[in-house]
Amino acid sequence: GCVLVVSVIEQLAQWHNSTVKAAMERLCDYIPGKYQIMRCVPCCIDREMNADVVCHSLRLCKQDPGQPLCHLYSPPKLHHLCELMHPSTFIFLPLQKSFMGFSSVCAFPLLANLCEKIKYVLRNKLPFEDFDGDKFSTFPTLRGYHWRGRDCNDKNTTVYPGRRPDNWDAKSDSNCNGIWGVDPKDGIPYEEKFCKGADSKGVVLLGDSAGAHFHIPPEWMTVTQMSAKSFANLPMAFSDELDWPQFSEITGFLNSTIGGWTDSLYLRLRKRNRCNHRDLQNISQNGMRGRLIQEIRSGLARNQLLDNPAIVIYATIGNDVCNGERDTLAHMTTPKEMLSNVVQALRYLDSHLPNGSHVILTGLVDGRFLWDNLHDRYHPLGQLNKDVTYSQLYSFLDCLQVSPCSGWLTPNETLRNLTSERALQLSNVLKEIARSEKFTNFDIFYMDFPLRQTAEEWRKMGGEPWQLIEPVDGFHPSQIAAALGTGITWQKALHEWPQVLGKENPFNDQIEAIFKDQGGY
């Protein structure tokens, strides 16, 4: 955190040809009021001192005995480093106090309430604002309707997206799809006329940070693009855990504001059958591994007797082989553990999903794609001075033992290959589960993560492979990758598992004509 903020301050000073103090004031002015956890203070940062030197000098970064000195930038000469790191070089106590606050943001009174809310949703995977306790909300963030269909009556626990209509919704909209009332021409409820026998079904994602669609806006740290507008989405981003499920590959439903475009399995199901409106749930979490049973128990909202069937996508595409440990191979999920974890979760789903549901197991990604396409490119922090590549970023994070994936984000080709080998073993476990296991209330399918096909499709469109990766973390699929992946998954399902997608509703146009003003998100 210190290295990031000091880097941005130094680059702002350089770009605007200003003092460091003026740059700090500028950054504070950009950030929305209550998120200004580090208010500008007098300080001295010599132009010769990079962010690593400053942060080590402030004693916010440390070098453990026997461990390497972690640095993002090329280190200065040793004697110069020692000279710069001497306490007499700095007026640093106020700045250090500010940064200590930065490292414990929940201590700030204005942010304490938000922190408590975020802790609640992280624990429970449920909306913070949910007055009737049906696991659906009218509030967008804090696991609200950005993550699952928007509730249309948050004072009635029997009204929520995905349920079968109550008395064909003749008097009110019990399933929040915007279709209710009676046709005055013949007295038949619209829901019965348009949705009966339409094979309505929702979509549920059980995933990790890729499924939640983790994204840090590059304009937050690219000073040449930085303005107050750059940080306008910061409150929403924090309240959504730096995830953007509303634009994601499986449950996205809003037009993307983070580049690319939005295409999702949910949107395509809705277009195929307008009765599916709002029937979506994204039960994903940053850092989630194959052991999802607790998240499913607390987060899944599906009544086996009252609700429509669901398409459940089980996609933990990397975290079972990804960790920041020095002995990363020893901390990867084993095939035996994967088998046990997934089968346990599937048995729970079988006891809770309505009959006629479907489960799709998604294989792990081959993450060698990351190093191959990014390692020698400049990170957003390094674009101004051409001084930080993704290789340097990966090494810095690995040194700090906070790498999102030590096995793939490394110059060690042998380790990258071993990580991909384990990922393939775990994918084969999923493939075998789909082949051999049988369940009462759903059928089960397997598909490889479509990275290769996505890259090929993007090349045909004139794109470069590196554009399929999130620019700030250099790890997650980008918005473009998410949208392209949707099309590939959809085509596979159409050709190989048409029963999963259900029938096309012949009344879609009529529904839109009558209820166009009642289908808002």
Side-chain angles (χ1 to χ4, degrees), residues 208 210 288 315-323 363-365 404-405 408 475:
D208 50 21
M288 185 54 56
T316 54
I317 66 169
N319 285 346
D320 284 285
V321 297
C322 285
N323 58 73
L364 279 70
V365 69
C405 197
W408 276 325
F475 179 63

Side-chain angles (χ1 to χ4, degrees), residues 117-126 142-143 241:
K117 292 179 179 180
I118 291 175
K119 288 176 184 177
Y120 172 87
V121 299
L122 286 175
R123 266 196 318 270
N124 299 283
K125 321 301 180 295
L126 294 173
L142 293 169
R143 293 276 165 166
E241 306 156 44

Side-chain angles (χ1 to χ4, degrees), residues 4 213-221 233 237-238 241-244 258 379-380 470-473 476:
L4 167 63
H213 204 26
F214 185 86
H215 166 81
I216 299 175
E219 57 268 26
W220 288 3
M221 57 189 67
N233 56 12
F238 277 176
E241 306 156 44
L242 293 177
D243 296 320
W244 308 73
I258 57 173
H379 184 268
E470 275 293 316
V472 172
D473 61 60
H476 293 92

Side-chain angles (χ1 to χ4, degrees), residues 199-350:
D199 199 14
S200 300
K201 59 189 69 177
V203 59
V204 178
L205 174 64
L206 308 174
D208 50 21
S209 53
H213 204 26
F214 185 86
H215 166 81
I216 299 175
E219 57 268 26
W220 288 3
M221 57 189 67
T222 309
V223 299
T224 56
Q225 304 171 15
M226 193 176 290
S227 67
K229 185 178 178 182
S230 304
F231 294 93
N233 56 12
L234 187 145
M236 181 185 71
F238 277 176
S239 298
D240 269 335
E241 306 156 44
L242 293 177
D243 296 320
W244 308 73
Q246 68 273 31
F247 308 141
S248 65
E249 179 176 351
I250 303 300
T251 62
F253 61 91
L254 293 177
N255 292 330
S256 172
T257 60
I258 57 173
W261 64 98
T262 301
D263 190 6
S264 71
L265 180 60
Y266 162 73
L267 282 178
R268 293 193 176 218
L269 286 168
R270 182 188 182 278
K271 183 178 180 181
R272 190 172 181 82
N273 180 4
R274 173 59 178 74
C275 302
N276 292 329
H277 182 58
R278 288 187 181 170
D279 196 356
L280 64 104
Q281 298 178 50
N282 191 319
I283 310 172
S284 299
Q285 184 181 340
N286 302 333
M288 185 54 56
R289 303 180 75 170
R291 188 171 176 80
L292 281 167
I293 185 65
Q294 186 56 47
E295 284 63 37
I296 299 171
R297 282 176 175 157
S298 61
L300 179 66
R302 216 64 178 179
N303 186 301
Q304 200 164 38
L305 299 178
L306 297 179
D307 297 349
N308 287 320
I311 303 169
V312 178
I313 312 295
Y314 192 108
T316 54
I317 66 169
N319 285 346
D320 284 285
V321 297
C322 285
N323 58 73
E325 303 292 340
R326 296 213 185 278
D327 52 344
T328 181
L329 292 170
H331 288 81
M332 294 178 185
T333 301
T334 66
K336 183 178 179 181
E337 290 169 337
M338 190 73 164
L339 176 63
S340 173
N341 293 341
V342 175
V343 169
Q344 184 183 15
L346 292 173
R347 287 174 179 163
Y348 181 86
L349 288 174
D350 198 32

Side-chain angles (χ1 to χ4, degrees), residues 35 53 152 207 210 224 237 246 328 332 354 369 423 443 453 489:
Y35 292 85
V53 176
C152 53
T224 56
Q246 68 273 31
T328 181
M332 294 178 185
F369 184 90
D443 47 15
Q453 301 96 309
T489 300

